[in-house]
PDB file of all heavy atoms in Angstrom:
ATOM      1  N   ARG A   1       8.187   7.576  -0.872  1.00 94.00           N
ATOM      2  CA  ARG A   1       6.722   7.545  -0.871  1.00 94.00           C
ATOM      3  C   ARG A   1       6.263   7.601   0.581  1.00 94.00           C
ATOM      4  O   ARG A   1       6.844   6.944   1.433  1.00 94.00           O
ATOM      5  CB  ARG A   1       6.202   6.283  -1.532  1.00 94.00           C
ATOM      6  CG  ARG A   1       6.562   6.206  -2.996  1.00 94.00           C
ATOM      7  CD  ARG A   1       5.874   5.033  -3.670  1.00 94.00           C
ATOM      8  NE  ARG A   1       6.291   4.922  -5.033  1.00 94.00           N
ATOM      9  CZ  ARG A   1       5.817   5.662  -6.040  1.00 94.00           C
ATOM     10  NH1 ARG A   1       4.901   6.561  -5.790  1.00 94.00           N
ATOM     11  NH2 ARG A   1       6.254   5.495  -7.265  1.00 94.00           N
ATOM     12  N   ILE A   2       5.221   8.366   0.836  1.00 92.00           N
ATOM     13  CA  ILE A   2       4.678   8.468   2.189  1.00 92.00           C
ATOM     14  C   ILE A   2       3.411   7.623   2.244  1.00 92.00           C
ATOM     15  O   ILE A   2       2.416   7.941   1.588  1.00 92.00           O
ATOM     16  CB  ILE A   2       4.388   9.930   2.557  1.00 92.00           C
ATOM     17  CG1 ILE A   2       5.695  10.731   2.516  1.00 92.00           C
ATOM     18  CG2 ILE A   2       3.717  10.011   3.924  1.00 92.00           C
ATOM     19  CD1 ILE A   2       5.525  12.213   2.671  1.00 92.00           C
ATOM     20  N   PRO A   3       3.433   6.506   2.981  1.00 94.00           N
ATOM     21  CA  PRO A   3       2.251   5.650   3.073  1.00 94.00           C
ATOM     22  C   PRO A   3       1.066   6.415   3.664  1.00 94.00           C
ATOM     23  O   PRO A   3       1.208   7.132   4.651  1.00 94.00           O
ATOM     24  CB  PRO A   3       2.689   4.522   4.007  1.00 94.00           C
ATOM     25  CG  PRO A   3       4.184   4.520   3.934  1.00 94.00           C
ATOM     26  CD  PRO A   3       4.563   5.963   3.734  1.00 94.00           C
ATOM     27  N   ALA A   4      -0.098   6.257   3.021  1.00 92.00           N
ATOM     28  CA  ALA A   4      -1.297   6.964   3.480  1.00 92.00           C
ATOM     29  C   ALA A   4      -2.404   6.009   3.904  1.00 92.00           C
ATOM     30  O   ALA A   4      -3.214   6.356   4.759  1.00 92.00           O
ATOM     31  CB  ALA A   4      -1.811   7.887   2.376  1.00 92.00           C
ATOM     32  N   ALA A   5      -2.452   4.831   3.311  1.00 93.00           N
ATOM     33  CA  ALA A   5      -3.509   3.874   3.636  1.00 93.00           C
ATOM     34  C   ALA A   5      -3.089   2.486   3.169  1.00 93.00           C
ATOM     35  O   ALA A   5      -2.197   2.332   2.326  1.00 93.00           O
ATOM     36  CB  ALA A   5      -4.820   4.265   2.957  1.00 93.00           C
ATOM     37  N   LEU A   6      -3.749   1.497   3.736  1.00 94.00           N
ATOM     38  CA  LEU A   6      -3.628   0.124   3.245  1.00 94.00           C
ATOM     39  C   LEU A   6      -4.863  -0.127   2.391  1.00 94.00           C
ATOM     40  O   LEU A   6      -5.959   0.297   2.748  1.00 94.00           O
ATOM     41  CB  LEU A   6      -3.573  -0.861   4.408  1.00 94.00           C
ATOM     42  CG  LEU A   6      -2.439  -0.646   5.403  1.00 94.00           C
ATOM     43  CD1 LEU A   6      -2.535  -1.643   6.548  1.00 94.00           C
ATOM     44  CD2 LEU A   6      -1.093  -0.755   4.715  1.00 94.00           C
ATOM     45  N   VAL A   7      -4.690  -0.777   1.253  1.00 94.00           N
ATOM     46  CA  VAL A   7      -5.800  -1.013   0.334  1.00 94.00           C
ATOM     47  C   VAL A   7      -6.014  -2.507   0.201  1.00 94.00           C
ATOM     48  O   VAL A   7      -5.087  -3.257  -0.112  1.00 94.00           O
ATOM     49  CB  VAL A   7      -5.512  -0.384  -1.048  1.00 94.00           C
ATOM     50  CG1 VAL A   7      -6.648  -0.670  -2.012  1.00 94.00           C
ATOM     51  CG2 VAL A   7      -5.288   1.115  -0.922  1.00 94.00           C
ATOM     52  N   LYS A   8      -7.256  -2.920   0.442  1.00 95.00           N
ATOM     53  CA  LYS A   8      -7.625  -4.340   0.332  1.00 95.00           C
ATOM     54  C   LYS A   8      -8.117  -4.604  -1.081  1.00 95.00           C
ATOM     55  O   LYS A   8      -9.173  -4.136  -1.483  1.00 95.00           O
ATOM     56  CB  LYS A   8      -8.714  -4.674   1.360  1.00 95.00           C
ATOM     57  CG  LYS A   8      -9.199  -6.100   1.303  1.00 95.00           C
ATOM     58  CD  LYS A   8      -8.194  -7.035   1.903  1.00 95.00           C
ATOM     59  CE  LYS A   8      -8.750  -8.436   1.974  1.00 95.00           C
ATOM     60  NZ  LYS A   8      -7.894  -9.415   1.387  1.00 95.00           N
ATOM     61  N   LEU A   9      -7.305  -5.308  -1.857  1.00 92.00           N
ATOM     62  CA  LEU A   9      -7.703  -5.763  -3.188  1.00 92.00           C
ATOM     63  C   LEU A   9      -7.660  -7.287  -3.139  1.00 92.00           C
ATOM     64  O   LEU A   9      -8.310  -7.866  -2.281  1.00 92.00           O
ATOM     65  CB  LEU A   9      -6.768  -5.184  -4.263  1.00 92.00           C
ATOM     66  CG  LEU A   9      -6.824  -3.658  -4.428  1.00 92.00           C
ATOM     67  CD1 LEU A   9      -5.676  -3.140  -5.275  1.00 92.00           C
ATOM     68  CD2 LEU A   9      -8.148  -3.231  -5.019  1.00 92.00           C
ATOM     69  N   ASP A  10      -6.888  -7.937  -3.993  1.00 91.00           N
ATOM     70  CA  ASP A  10      -6.718  -9.386  -3.904  1.00 91.00           C
ATOM     71  C   ASP A  10      -5.814  -9.750  -2.729  1.00 91.00           C
ATOM     72  O   ASP A  10      -5.800 -10.864  -2.246  1.00 91.00           O
ATOM     73  CB  ASP A  10      -6.159  -9.946  -5.210  1.00 91.00           C
ATOM     74  CG  ASP A  10      -4.813  -9.335  -5.578  1.00 91.00           C
ATOM     75  OD1 ASP A  10      -4.593  -8.152  -5.248  1.00 91.00           O
ATOM     76  OD2 ASP A  10      -3.987 -10.023  -6.204  1.00 91.00           O
ATOM     77  N   ALA A  11      -5.051  -8.779  -2.264  1.00 93.00           N
ATOM     78  CA  ALA A  11      -4.200  -8.877  -1.074  1.00 93.00           C
ATOM     79  C   ALA A  11      -4.205  -7.481  -0.457  1.00 93.00           C
ATOM     80  O   ALA A  11      -4.909  -6.589  -0.937  1.00 93.00           O
ATOM     81  CB  ALA A  11      -2.785  -9.309  -1.462  1.00 93.00           C
ATOM     82  N   MET A  12      -3.424  -7.275   0.574  1.00 95.00           N
ATOM     83  CA  MET A  12      -3.339  -5.954   1.202  1.00 95.00           C
ATOM     84  C   MET A  12      -2.129  -5.232   0.610  1.00 95.00           C
ATOM     85  O   MET A  12      -1.029  -5.785   0.556  1.00 95.00           O
ATOM     86  CB  MET A  12      -3.179  -6.104   2.713  1.00 95.00           C
ATOM     87  CG  MET A  12      -3.435  -4.838   3.477  1.00 95.00           C
ATOM     88  SD  MET A  12      -5.161  -4.379   3.549  1.00 95.00           S
ATOM     89  CE  MET A  12      -5.761  -5.525   4.760  1.00 95.00           C
ATOM     90  N   TYR A  13      -2.353  -3.988   0.163  1.00 95.00           N
ATOM     91  CA  TYR A  13      -1.302  -3.195  -0.461  1.00 95.00           C
ATOM     92  C   TYR A  13      -1.148  -1.864   0.264  1.00 95.00           C
ATOM     93  O   TYR A  13      -2.064  -1.410   0.949  1.00 95.00           O
ATOM     94  CB  TYR A  13      -1.617  -2.928  -1.942  1.00 95.00           C
ATOM     95  CG  TYR A  13      -1.636  -4.181  -2.773  1.00 95.00           C
ATOM     96  CD1 TYR A  13      -2.818  -4.891  -2.965  1.00 95.00           C
ATOM     97  CD2 TYR A  13      -0.468  -4.672  -3.348  1.00 95.00           C
ATOM     98  CE1 TYR A  13      -2.834  -6.053  -3.720  1.00 95.00           C
ATOM     99  CE2 TYR A  13      -0.481  -5.832  -4.103  1.00 95.00           C
ATOM    100  CZ  TYR A  13      -1.669  -6.520  -4.286  1.00 95.00           C
ATOM    101  OH  TYR A  13      -1.670  -7.667  -5.025  1.00 95.00           O
ATOM    102  N   VAL A  14       0.002  -1.228   0.055  1.00 95.00           N
ATOM    103  CA  VAL A  14       0.267   0.083   0.640  1.00 95.00           C
ATOM    104  C   VAL A  14       0.082   1.132  -0.456  1.00 95.00           C
ATOM    105  O   VAL A  14       0.622   0.991  -1.553  1.00 95.00           O
ATOM    106  CB  VAL A  14       1.709   0.168   1.212  1.00 95.00           C
ATOM    107  CG1 VAL A  14       1.947   1.521   1.860  1.00 95.00           C
ATOM    108  CG2 VAL A  14       1.956  -0.956   2.219  1.00 95.00           C
ATOM    109  N   MET A  15      -0.709   2.171  -0.134  1.00 93.00           N
ATOM    110  CA  MET A  15      -0.956   3.265  -1.061  1.00 93.00           C
ATOM    111  C   MET A  15      -0.322   4.530  -0.502  1.00 93.00           C
ATOM    112  O   MET A  15      -0.412   4.792   0.701  1.00 93.00           O
ATOM    113  CB  MET A  15      -2.459   3.485  -1.238  1.00 93.00           C
ATOM    114  CG  MET A  15      -2.795   4.590  -2.231  1.00 93.00           C
ATOM    115  SD  MET A  15      -4.571   4.774  -2.493  1.00 93.00           S
ATOM    116  CE  MET A  15      -5.028   5.571  -0.959  1.00 93.00           C
ATOM    117  N   ASP A  16       0.309   5.306  -1.373  1.00 92.00           N
ATOM    118  CA  ASP A  16       0.923   6.547  -0.903  1.00 92.00           C
ATOM    119  C   ASP A  16      -0.058   7.714  -0.989  1.00 92.00           C
ATOM    120  O   ASP A  16      -1.202   7.547  -1.433  1.00 92.00           O
ATOM    121  CB  ASP A  16       2.237   6.839  -1.643  1.00 92.00           C
ATOM    122  CG  ASP A  16       2.064   7.304  -3.073  1.00 92.00           C
ATOM    123  OD1 ASP A  16       0.928   7.516  -3.542  1.00 92.00           O
ATOM    124  OD2 ASP A  16       3.099   7.459  -3.749  1.00 92.00           O
ATOM    125  N   GLU A  17       0.389   8.880  -0.556  1.00 89.00           N
ATOM    126  CA  GLU A  17      -0.478  10.054  -0.499  1.00 89.00           C
ATOM    127  C   GLU A  17      -0.883  10.572  -1.876  1.00 89.00           C
ATOM    128  O   GLU A  17      -1.779  11.399  -1.992  1.00 89.00           O
ATOM    129  CB  GLU A  17       0.199  11.165   0.305  1.00 89.00           C
ATOM    130  CG  GLU A  17       1.521  11.604  -0.259  1.00 89.00           C
ATOM    131  CD  GLU A  17       2.265  12.573   0.635  1.00 89.00           C
ATOM    132  OE1 GLU A  17       1.793  12.884   1.728  1.00 89.00           O
ATOM    133  OE2 GLU A  17       3.341  13.020   0.211  1.00 89.00           O
ATOM    134  N   ASP A  18      -0.257  10.061  -2.946  1.00 88.00           N
ATOM    135  CA  ASP A  18      -0.635  10.426  -4.310  1.00 88.00           C
ATOM    136  C   ASP A  18      -1.591   9.410  -4.922  1.00 88.00           C
ATOM    137  O   ASP A  18      -1.941   9.518  -6.094  1.00 88.00           O
ATOM    138  CB  ASP A  18       0.616  10.539  -5.195  1.00 88.00           C
ATOM    139  CG  ASP A  18       1.531  11.660  -4.752  1.00 88.00           C
ATOM    140  OD1 ASP A  18       1.020  12.728  -4.347  1.00 88.00           O
ATOM    141  OD2 ASP A  18       2.764  11.472  -4.797  1.00 88.00           O
ATOM    142  N   GLY A  19      -1.967   8.392  -4.162  1.00 87.00           N
ATOM    143  CA  GLY A  19      -2.877   7.371  -4.662  1.00 87.00           C
ATOM    144  C   GLY A  19      -2.201   6.249  -5.408  1.00 87.00           C
ATOM    145  O   GLY A  19      -2.857   5.422  -6.034  1.00 87.00           O
ATOM    146  N   VAL A  20      -0.887   6.180  -5.336  1.00 89.00           N
ATOM    147  CA  VAL A  20      -0.133   5.119  -6.014  1.00 89.00           C
ATOM    148  C   VAL A  20      -0.002   3.926  -5.070  1.00 89.00           C
ATOM    149  O   VAL A  20       0.476   4.066  -3.941  1.00 89.00           O
ATOM    150  CB  VAL A  20       1.276   5.614  -6.430  1.00 89.00           C
ATOM    151  CG1 VAL A  20       2.096   4.474  -7.012  1.00 89.00           C
ATOM    152  CG2 VAL A  20       1.164   6.770  -7.405  1.00 89.00           C
ATOM    153  N   ILE A  21      -0.466   2.780  -5.539  1.00 90.00           N
ATOM    154  CA  ILE A  21      -0.276   1.546  -4.782  1.00 90.00           C
ATOM    155  C   ILE A  21       1.096   1.029  -5.177  1.00 90.00           C
ATOM    156  O   ILE A  21       1.331   0.683  -6.331  1.00 90.00           O
ATOM    157  CB  ILE A  21      -1.386   0.532  -5.082  1.00 90.00           C
ATOM    158  CG1 ILE A  21      -2.705   1.092  -4.539  1.00 90.00           C
ATOM    159  CG2 ILE A  21      -1.056  -0.817  -4.486  1.00 90.00           C
ATOM    160  CD1 ILE A  21      -3.912   0.264  -4.837  1.00 90.00           C
ATOM    161  N   PHE A  22       2.017   1.030  -4.211  1.00 93.00           N
ATOM    162  CA  PHE A  22       3.406   0.791  -4.584  1.00 93.00           C
ATOM    163  C   PHE A  22       4.007  -0.497  -4.065  1.00 93.00           C
ATOM    164  O   PHE A  22       5.101  -0.868  -4.493  1.00 93.00           O
ATOM    165  CB  PHE A  22       4.284   1.990  -4.201  1.00 93.00           C
ATOM    166  CG  PHE A  22       4.369   2.292  -2.734  1.00 93.00           C
ATOM    167  CD1 PHE A  22       5.413   1.803  -1.968  1.00 93.00           C
ATOM    168  CD2 PHE A  22       3.421   3.090  -2.123  1.00 93.00           C
ATOM    169  CE1 PHE A  22       5.511   2.101  -0.622  1.00 93.00           C
ATOM    170  CE2 PHE A  22       3.513   3.400  -0.783  1.00 93.00           C
ATOM    171  CZ  PHE A  22       4.554   2.897  -0.021  1.00 93.00           C
ATOM    172  N   LYS A  23       3.333  -1.191  -3.167  1.00 94.00           N
ATOM    173  CA  LYS A  23       3.896  -2.463  -2.721  1.00 94.00           C
ATOM    174  C   LYS A  23       2.851  -3.259  -1.978  1.00 94.00           C
ATOM    175  O   LYS A  23       1.875  -2.713  -1.469  1.00 94.00           O
ATOM    176  CB  LYS A  23       5.131  -2.258  -1.843  1.00 94.00           C
ATOM    177  CG  LYS A  23       4.846  -1.685  -0.461  1.00 94.00           C
ATOM    178  CD  LYS A  23       6.088  -1.470   0.380  1.00 94.00           C
ATOM    179  CE  LYS A  23       6.780  -2.642   0.878  1.00 94.00           C
ATOM    180  NZ  LYS A  23       6.260  -3.536   1.841  1.00 94.00           N
ATOM    181  N   GLU A  24       3.073  -4.559  -1.913  1.00 94.00           N
ATOM    182  CA  GLU A  24       2.211  -5.418  -1.105  1.00 94.00           C
ATOM    183  C   GLU A  24       2.603  -5.249   0.358  1.00 94.00           C
ATOM    184  O   GLU A  24       3.784  -5.179   0.697  1.00 94.00           O
ATOM    185  CB  GLU A  24       2.345  -6.876  -1.540  1.00 94.00           C
ATOM    186  CG  GLU A  24       1.329  -7.780  -0.876  1.00 94.00           C
ATOM    187  CD  GLU A  24       1.252  -9.160  -1.492  1.00 94.00           C
ATOM    188  OE1 GLU A  24       1.732  -9.365  -2.630  1.00 94.00           O
ATOM    189  OE2 GLU A  24       0.696 -10.052  -0.825  1.00 94.00           O
ATOM    190  N   PHE A  25       1.610  -5.165   1.214  1.00 96.00           N
ATOM    191  CA  PHE A  25       1.833  -4.979   2.644  1.00 96.00           C
ATOM    192  C   PHE A  25       2.342  -6.268   3.268  1.00 96.00           C
ATOM    193  O   PHE A  25       1.876  -7.357   2.961  1.00 96.00           O
ATOM    194  CB  PHE A  25       0.526  -4.558   3.322  1.00 96.00           C
ATOM    195  CG  PHE A  25       0.602  -4.499   4.820  1.00 96.00           C
ATOM    196  CD1 PHE A  25       1.250  -3.448   5.447  1.00 96.00           C
ATOM    197  CD2 PHE A  25       0.048  -5.499   5.602  1.00 96.00           C
ATOM    198  CE1 PHE A  25       1.337  -3.389   6.830  1.00 96.00           C
ATOM    199  CE2 PHE A  25       0.125  -5.448   6.984  1.00 96.00           C
ATOM    200  CZ  PHE A  25       0.778  -4.395   7.596  1.00 96.00           C
ATOM    201  N   THR A  26       3.328  -6.133   4.147  1.00 92.00           N
ATOM    202  CA  THR A  26       3.790  -7.253   4.964  1.00 92.00           C
ATOM    203  C   THR A  26       3.800  -6.788   6.420  1.00 92.00           C
ATOM    204  O   THR A  26       3.866  -5.582   6.697  1.00 92.00           O
ATOM    205  CB  THR A  26       5.213  -7.708   4.582  1.00 92.00           C
ATOM    206  OG1 THR A  26       6.128  -6.641   4.842  1.00 92.00           O
ATOM    207  CG2 THR A  26       5.294  -8.120   3.127  1.00 92.00           C
ATOM    208  N   ASN A  27       3.737  -7.724   7.344  1.00 89.00           N
ATOM    209  CA  ASN A  27       3.755  -7.368   8.767  1.00 89.00           C
ATOM    210  C   ASN A  27       5.012  -6.605   9.150  1.00 89.00           C
ATOM    211  O   ASN A  27       4.993  -5.777  10.050  1.00 89.00           O
ATOM    212  CB  ASN A  27       3.602  -8.610   9.641  1.00 89.00           C
ATOM    213  CG  ASN A  27       2.205  -9.174   9.569  1.00 89.00           C
ATOM    214  OD1 ASN A  27       1.257  -8.465   9.257  1.00 89.00           O
ATOM    215  ND2 ASN A  27       2.068 -10.459   9.828  1.00 89.00           N
ATOM    216  N   SER A  28       6.106  -6.852   8.458  1.00 91.00           N
ATOM    217  CA  SER A  28       7.354  -6.160   8.777  1.00 91.00           C
ATOM    218  C   SER A  28       7.305  -4.678   8.395  1.00 91.00           C
ATOM    219  O   SER A  28       8.163  -3.908   8.814  1.00 91.00           O
ATOM    220  CB  SER A  28       8.541  -6.845   8.102  1.00 91.00           C
ATOM    221  OG  SER A  28       8.417  -6.760   6.699  1.00 91.00           O
TER     222      SER A  28
END
């Protein structure tokens, strides 16, 4: 998956270029 944006919902998530939110964002 190619990360395209971070999405702020109940937490911060990573969204790919297809619009799939695939994981919760961590500083690492």
Side-chain angles (χ1 to χ4, degrees):
R1 296 188 184 280
I2 299 172
L6 302 177
V7 178
K8 178 75 174 128
L9 295 168
D10 59 328
M12 195 73 76
Y13 295 91
V14 182
M15 182 177 74
D16 73 5
E17 59 187 3
D18 296 322
V20 175
I21 293 176
F22 63 95
K23 71 181 290 293
E24 188 168 343
F25 173 75
T26 63
N27 289 336
S28 64

